[in-house]
Amino acid sequence: NIWFVCAFVSENQVEDLLDEFEYEVQMPYLLYRNASQEVNGIWFYNSQECEEVAKLFSRYYGLAEAL
């Protein structure tokens, strides 16, 4: 699971990364589709942070596919 925390919203969001999770980078957003087929976006103030999170997702899925 991944846990999203936003400073401007009182509710945090948790997404399951194992069930049909797809993502795409469109700077400065990281867009993703969850298991419910909802498309959400994470806005990054710093584009480097967006790239770093996308790399983490890429590494995670690379490891998951190897297992």
Side-chain angles (χ1 to χ4, degrees), residues 1 7 10 13-14 19 23-24 27 31-33 37 40 51-52 55 59 65 67:
N1 288 342
S10 62
Q13 186 163 342
V14 177
D19 291 335
Y23 70 95
E24 176 183 329
M27 290 298 182
L31 305 172
Y32 67 92
R33 182 185 317 265
Q37 299 301 306
N40 295 294
E51 291 173 0
E52 289 172 5
K55 286 179 187 177
R59 260 192 283 163
E65 290 176 1
L67 295 176

Side-chain angles (χ1 to χ4, degrees), residues 20-58:
E20 301 179 33
F21 185 89
E22 301 174 31
Y23 70 95
E24 176 183 329
V25 176
Q26 291 185 8
M27 290 298 182
Y29 297 94
L30 191 146
L31 305 172
Y32 67 92
R33 182 185 317 265
N34 61 19
S36 302
Q37 299 301 306
E38 298 171 324
V39 176
N40 295 294
I42 306 167
W43 175 78
F44 290 85
Y45 177 77
N46 182 329
S47 61
Q48 183 177 355
E49 289 177 355
C50 183
E51 291 173 0
E52 289 172 5
V53 171
K55 286 179 187 177
L56 285 173
F57 283 175
S58 180

